[in-house]
Amino acid sequence: MIYFIQEKYEKLFHVIGCGRGEMGMKKLSKAMLPRVILLMGALLGGCGGGGSSVASTTTAATTTTTTSTTTTSLPIGGTVTTLQVESTSAGAQGNVPLTFGQVFVQGEVGSSESITGTLADGTPLGLQIDAKASHADGSLRHAVISTVLPQLAAGQSQTIKLVKTAAYTATPSATALADLLNGGFDARVNLTIGGVAYSVSAKDLLQLPNPTKWLVGPSVNEWLVSAPLKTAGGVVHPHLVARFAIRAYAGINKAKVDVIVENGWAYEPNPQDFTYDVQVEVGGQTVYSNNALTHYHHARWRKSFWWGTAPLAHIKHNTAYLIASKAVPNYDQSITISETGLANLKMNFDAASIEPMGNGIATPYMPTTGGRPEIGLIPGWGAMTVLSMDKRAKDVTLGMGDLSGSWPTHYRDKVTGRPISLADYPYMTLNGPSSDSFNPTANRNEALPGCTTVCNNPNVADTAHQPAFNYLPYLLTGEHYYLEELLFYTMWSVGGGHPVYRQLEQGLVASDQVRGQAWTLRNVVDAAYVLPDSDPMKAQFNAILAANLAWFNTTYTTNASANVFGALTNGYAFSYNNETGIAPWQDDFFTSVIGHAAERNFSGAPALLAWKAKFPVGRMADAGFCWVMGSVYTFNMRPTNTSPFFTTYAQVYQATLSAALRATACGSAAMAQQIQLEDPGTPMIAGAMVGYPQSSMGFPANMQPALAYAKDSGIANAATAWSIFNQRQMKPDYSTDPQFAIVPR
């Protein structure tokens, strides 16, 4: 049937010309229409991408902190990148629905261009392109792409080419919602709390006026609907809300249903934990149940189901292109992710607490000290996904994104229905009410109410150790849940502390621990980069980022009185050795965040990186400091806590190391022996660096991204510093935990 339609409409296109295919399609049945629209986009080539084009769906960019630099000029008809679709089914599948997120190199897909698709054998594959974010030059940055594979054999892997084409504005389906509802779709959440039954129906919500749309097109539509749980008598639960994301594929009677239950109103009095029995129904069938589930305050959970037969396919993005886009760091592509590591990752995840309110393989009490896989620009499981595109790693990455809802970081504004915003509540804080949390303009105290009744969540959040749970999952899938999780965590990070210290809506991070400053800014940069242009929070996060970069540049980069080393000294930096020492590894976290911001063209970040890069470079290449000690745990910058800072690395070396250690030659066997004498638990050989040199989470590993970005910055001696670092002995095995395996571009 598909090939008949293709042949018929190839002839029709010659008659009716570009962009007029729908005139002829009126003769087709409603069920055939979506597939033909998809085919049209592919067959027309330069006439369009078969779905929502960049020009038709992307709003004007609100980004004000990026520079406009076009990196490539790809001709129409050129292949932008490829993806692999692997069957995970034991049998053949037909009409396989696929939706995924895709990031694009700046300048490759212009504002008047779009994307179409072909299979490896040249068969056209129409795509629906829901453009979400654009670069500063107007080119496409991030889109959600949908298609339907006609066939996928058991165990088969198919290649999809994303091909650049001229813009094509597809007409959205006017009947998509009616078709879904008339086809018998419904999804329900039923809760029983203390013997009282509550429920919400997605079908009822979809019939209310103007449901929110996430994906819009001729073949794929996704609606976002929500309502508080209610009793049969209409009594509304004050805290618990059911949310649904329903993605319907026209003509094939299939829909993906995300079910989210949330306990997260920001200013609802008496926030607390609730214990309930839950049952989820899709299409009249029970698809999930859980008895005596304790739902923690300001947390939420998500489960995904299919109405109709679920597709069994794994989508593999092109690692080289993903890294080339600079949406993710430059992970070392020479690393082969270990098969044992992948198997253990999935085994450990499956054996962990992965039901709602579980923590999976993340540390539930985030303030716990020590290295662990979730610390970094992207967690270890995410870096494994980027480098391997293995299904096991991706399953864990998305699963941990789902479980990020278990921590109490979710504060939603009842007025807007969105995650709470500093623009609306500049005086908000989690520190409790005080005169500093009173908003004189709005005449209200904006301190968020704390849980005082039933509050037993073992999952405790902390800015200094928070993982980047959701940036990569949203980047790869385009799923709205992950986007909202990124918003929740980012706003919690900048808005939970003291309102005066952060200068209200400016969201300054300078009063936090250095690592807290780093990971909060990481969230802000990621949000500013990937949020849809139409999202009002995008401009806010750009403003917060700009304010922070301006503060650091004023305090350090352009300040003649700043220390000569390139090290942060604000906030809780001096937490070591009677407030004379700082933690270089925490500072390296911050440098890596600024480096990743700089490579994504955020204005102010390159200048700050050039200043910050001096610190990792100096510890490796300055003649007054032995590079072996570049990864030392503490770096003593002054003789007392009231003294001026030292002005040379030789002075720091004198103040930081013992006389016996200073007496040995840099990198010698004698130095290694003395290090072991002073720290018997540290295995050392000549030419190795201190601080767990073989660990993928040790201090040399922590330093690696900072040095990589320092080399990219081009400052003096950066190439020498990287060369010394790269030739060190006792390097870590990154095949199982590659989150710090970042190399210069």
Side-chain angles (χ1 to χ4, degrees):
M1 176 62 74
I2 293 299
Y3 295 104
F4 166 75
I5 296 172
Q6 177 179 330
E7 180 182 2
K8 177 179 178 180
Y9 279 90
E10 280 178 333
K11 296 176 181 177
L12 180 61
F13 294 163
H14 290 295
V15 177
I16 62 178
C18 266
R20 298 181 60 82
E22 292 203 29
M23 293 175 61
M25 278 189 276
K26 291 179 182 177
K27 299 178 182 178
L28 296 174
S29 70
K30 185 180 295 184
M32 295 167 64
L33 181 60
R35 299 304 309 278
V36 175
I37 293 174
L38 285 171
L39 283 166
M40 282 183 62
L43 291 169
L44 289 173
C47 296
S52 307
S53 72
V54 178
S56 65
T57 63
T58 301
T59 59
T62 57
T63 302
T64 58
T65 58
T66 57
T67 56
S68 180
T69 304
T70 300
T71 54
T72 68
S73 179
L74 188 71
I76 296 293
T79 298
V80 177
T81 186
T82 60
L83 299 97
Q84 298 290 321
V85 180
E86 294 182 345
S87 170
T88 58
S89 171
Q93 302 175 79
N95 292 336
V96 182
L98 303 172
T99 294
F100 54 91
Q102 180 64 52
V103 70
F104 295 90
V105 170
Q106 182 170 340
E108 284 199 339
V109 183
S111 58
S112 60
E113 298 165 337
S114 191
I115 296 292
T116 189
T118 64
L119 298 178
D121 62 3
T123 302
L125 184 69
L127 308 176
Q128 178 173 308
I129 310 297
D130 283 85
K132 293 297 181 183
S134 58
H135 291 286
D137 62 359
S139 62
L140 184 60
R141 173 180 288 173
H142 186 247
V144 183
I145 300 178
S146 302
T147 190
V148 176
L149 276 182
Q151 300 289 334
L152 189 61
Q156 183 183 15
S157 176
Q158 291 214 45
T159 299
I160 298 177
K161 294 182 180 180
L162 301 185
V163 179
K164 182 173 175 177
T165 185
Y168 172 75
T169 302
T171 303
S173 171
T175 63
L177 184 54
D179 292 343
L180 177 70
L181 296 175
N182 292 338
F185 170 81
D186 194 10
R188 299 183 65 89
V189 173
N190 303 307
L191 304 183
T192 302
I193 309 172
V196 179
Y198 295 81
S199 66
V200 173
S201 161
K203 183 174 183 178
D204 291 346
L205 298 178
L206 286 169
Q207 295 178 82
L208 297 175
N210 302 317
T212 300
K213 298 176 181 178
W214 176 243
L215 303 180
V216 181
S219 55
V220 181
N221 289 271
E222 183 169 334
W223 300 272
L224 310 174
V225 292
S226 64
L229 275 297
K230 294 183 181 180
T231 68
V235 178
V236 172
H237 195 281
H239 293 276
L240 297 175
V241 175
R243 299 182 177 276
F244 303 90
I246 302 109
R247 180 188 303 157
Y249 295 82
I252 60 173
N253 286 334
K254 291 182 182 180
K256 181 175 182 290
V257 185
D258 289 348
V259 177
I260 302 156
V261 180
E262 188 170 297
N263 178 11
W265 292 128
Y267 287 103
E268 186 67 28
N270 303 314
Q272 59 187 283
D273 305 343
F274 294 96
T275 299
Y276 53 71
D277 298 338
V278 57
Q279 182 186 67
V280 177
E281 300 174 4
V282 175
Q285 302 296 315
T286 299
V287 293
Y288 178 74
S289 61
N290 195 334
N291 292 332
L293 169 63
T294 297
H295 190 147
Y296 305 126
H297 77 91
H298 295 104
R300 63 182 193 155
W301 58 265
R302 174 213 200 197
K303 291 284 185 180
S304 297
F305 311 97
W306 279 85
W307 179 67
T309 305
L312 298 175
H314 167 52
I315 299 174
K316 299 172 66 173
H317 286 71
N318 184 306
T319 293
Y321 186 82
L322 183 61
I323 289 175
S325 74
K326 301 180 181 177
V328 300
N330 188 33
Y331 292 108
D332 186 350
Q333 294 177 64
S334 70
I335 294 171
T336 299
I337 300 301
S338 152
E339 170 61 29
T340 300
L342 290 166
N344 287 340
L345 176 70
K346 189 64 164 64
M347 179 183 67
N348 292 337
F349 178 78
D350 290 342
S353 175
I354 57 176
E355 280 297 296
M357 301 294 105
N359 63 287
I361 56 174
T363 304
Y365 185 76
M366 286 185 191
T368 302
T369 57
R372 48 188 189 262
E374 59 260 39
I375 302 298
L377 294 175
I378 290 175
W381 51 79
M384 291 176 76
T385 300
V386 170
L387 287 173
S388 72
M389 285 299 157
D390 186 273
K391 183 179 186 299
R392 291 162 293 183
K394 188 175 181 182
D395 285 347
V396 173
T397 295
L398 301 186
M400 290 307 303
D402 291 344
L403 291 172
S404 66
S406 302
W407 280 263
T409 56
H410 303 79
Y411 290 80
R412 189 182 294 274
D413 186 354
K414 259 191 175 180
V415 177
T416 65
R418 304 289 312 283
I420 196 167
S421 164
L422 270 183
D424 297 326
Y425 302 93
Y427 291 82
M428 74 174 176
T429 179
L430 288 166
N431 294 340
S434 70
S435 59
D436 288 335
S437 60
F438 183 80
N439 185 333
T441 302
N443 193 30
R444 66 191 180 198
N445 198 300
E446 293 180 348
L448 295 160
C451 181
T452 58
T453 307
V454 182
C455 322
N456 299 311
N457 193 346
N459 304 311
V460 177
D462 169 46
T463 57
H465 300 87
Q466 56 175 316
F469 279 125
N470 291 286
Y471 171 70
L472 184 64
Y474 174 65
L475 202 74
L476 298 182
T477 68
E479 294 191 357
H480 188 263
Y481 175 84
Y482 299 129
L483 176 65
E484 276 209 324
E485 283 295 296
L486 177 59
L487 291 174
F488 277 125
Y489 269 82
T490 306
M491 198 55 72
W492 169 84
S493 297
V494 296
H498 197 287
V500 175
Y501 294 167
R502 68 163 182 264
Q503 294 190 25
L504 305 178
E505 67 271 18
Q506 289 192 57
L508 298 185
V509 303
S511 63
D512 202 350
Q513 298 180 52
V514 171
R515 54 189 165 185
Q517 297 173 51
W519 303 139
T520 295
L521 280 184
R522 175 204 60 200
N523 293 354
V524 173
V525 173
D526 287 346
Y529 180 81
V530 80
L531 254 64
D533 295 342
S534 60
D535 194 308
M537 282 192 174
K538 188 176 186 103
Q540 183 178 173
F541 286 130
N542 272 285
I544 291 171
L545 178 58
N548 275 281
L549 291 174
W551 188 92
F552 283 104
N553 278 320
T554 299
T555 304
Y556 295 105
T557 309
T558 60
N559 182 1
S561 300
N563 69 85
V564 300
F565 304 107
L568 296 187
T569 57
N570 59 284
Y572 293 96
F574 284 102
S575 298
Y576 302 87
N577 300 338
N578 297 317
E579 298 183 355
T580 65
I582 66 169
W585 46 278
Q586 289 193 35
D587 197 280
D588 289 338
F589 292 159
F590 186 92
T591 302
S592 68
V593 169
I594 300 306
H596 195 27
E599 71 178 347
R600 288 184 283 183
N601 295 328
F602 284 98
S603 179
L608 181 56
L609 174 62
W611 190 85
K612 285 297 301 102
K614 294 190 299 180
F615 193 37
V617 168
R619 282 146 50 208
M620 295 300 296
D622 192 275
F625 200 90
C626 176
W627 61 268
V628 169
M629 308 306 298
S631 50
V632 68
Y633 183 74
T634 58
F635 184 92
N636 292 341
M637 286 184 63
R638 56 191 180 187
T640 71
N641 61 3
T642 59
S643 301
F645 299 142
F646 293 131
T647 58
T648 69
Y649 276 93
Q651 291 172 317
V652 173
Y653 201 68
Q654 176 81 16
T656 300
L657 306 180
S658 69
L661 194 51
R662 296 197 311 271
T664 61
C666 181
S668 65
M671 174 174 271
Q673 184 178 17
Q674 183 61 34
I675 290 171
Q676 281 194 286
L677 286 173
E678 296 184 13
D679 186 4
T682 302
M684 285 291 291
I685 62 173
M689 295 180 70
V690 297
Y692 310 100
Q694 291 180 298
S695 170
S696 60
M697 304 171 207
F699 300 130
N702 296 163
M703 191 181 190
Q704 180 166 330
L707 277 169
Y709 284 117
K711 185 175 185 297
D712 289 341
S713 75
I715 69 165
N717 296 321
T720 299
W722 176 261
S723 178
I724 294 170
F725 179 80
N726 205 34
Q727 294 176 47
R728 73 197 187 281
Q729 300 299 306
M730 297 183 74
K731 296 180 181 180
D733 176 9
Y734 282 131
S735 67
T736 58
D737 290 298
Q739 66 267 35
F740 295 112
I742 296 169
V743 295
R745 290 191 184 270

